[in-house]
Amino acid sequence: MNAVYHMGKNCLMVFFLMTVISLKAVSSTKSDINYGNNDPSEQSLITFAKKLLGVKYKYGAASPTQGFDCSGFVHYVFKQFDITLPRSSSAIGQAGQNISLADAKAGDIILFTGTNPAKRIIGHVGIVLSNNNGKELRFIHASSGKAYAVTETMLEGSYKKRFMKVIRVI
């Protein structure tokens, strides 16, 4: 019985090592794979962000249990993927690389003025979910408006007037 146990244990270890070696041999780098518009990290980020839909809005908060304000939501989502962003929307606007609205893609960060579009100062932030050359852009954000929660919104109406820029950090 003891010999059978050790033989089984050794077979399991050999199987594990062979699996690791096989996976290492066939692994590809990100540049070898065409992911279309979204690479796996962007899709993972979006999937995670969507799990927070409906979490209540709370000024100054940055957790699913207490709620989120806009920058707290963006900060929290990116932090789950080891991307540290500043905590305020205006400071987030200073991070990353500026991207044209037409080139925005899932996982990019979209920035807006506060509720007054005449004051051209960043005051709101969200995460791009999808984009059709800037014509049909959807984003997810913690809204203090009608939804008063994490919600998905089209870039239209007042948000289009308040649009400031898009940045990429991944």
Side-chain angles (χ1 to χ4, degrees):
M1 178 78 170
N2 200 13
V4 172
Y5 170 77
H6 287 292
M7 189 170 114
K9 189 176 173 183
N10 288 340
C11 286
L12 185 60
M13 189 178 297
V14 168
F15 174 77
F16 173 77
L17 289 172
M18 293 297 287
T19 303
V20 170
I21 292 168
S22 297
L23 289 173
K24 192 74 170 164
V26 297
S27 69
S28 300
T29 65
K30 190 173 169 181
S31 62
D32 294 333
I33 301 169
N34 178 6
Y35 296 108
N37 291 335
N38 303 318
D39 74 19
S41 61
E42 292 156 350
Q43 274 312 119
S44 297
L45 187 134
I46 295 306
T47 300
F48 179 78
K50 284 185 169 189
K51 289 179 182 176
L52 300 169
L53 284 166
V55 173
K56 69 179 180 169
Y57 177 88
K58 184 175 180 186
Y59 180 79
S63 77
T65 54
Q66 293 185 340
F68 293 108
D69 65 10
C70 65
S71 59
F73 170 70
V74 171
H75 182 269
Y76 179 83
V77 169
F78 279 85
K79 188 173 183 173
Q80 305 315 301
F81 294 86
D82 296 322
I83 300 169
T84 303
L85 293 172
R87 180 56 183 82
S88 72
S89 56
S90 59
I92 290 173
Q94 302 303 311
Q97 171 189 0
N98 290 341
I99 302 296
S100 72
L101 185 58
D103 291 334
K105 65 180 184 173
D108 287 342
I109 298 172
I110 187 165
L111 298 122
F112 303 90
T113 67
T115 54
N116 182 352
K119 289 186 179 178
R120 303 304 293 169
I121 299 168
I122 293 171
H124 189 64
V125 62
I127 302 170
V128 175
L129 293 174
S130 61
N131 187 17
N132 181 14
N133 294 320
K135 296 174 187 138
E136 294 178 14
L137 186 140
R138 291 190 64 77
F139 63 100
I140 187 169
H141 60 125
S143 173
S144 62
K146 187 169 48 172
Y148 213 71
V150 175
T151 188
E152 290 185 34
T153 305
M154 289 291 294
L155 180 60
E156 59 189 12
S158 67
Y159 283 107
K160 193 145 193 146
K161 291 176 190 166
R162 293 170 51 200
F163 172 76
M164 294 282 289
K165 68 178 184 173
V166 176
I167 63 167
R168 183 167 296 152
V169 296
I170 54 175

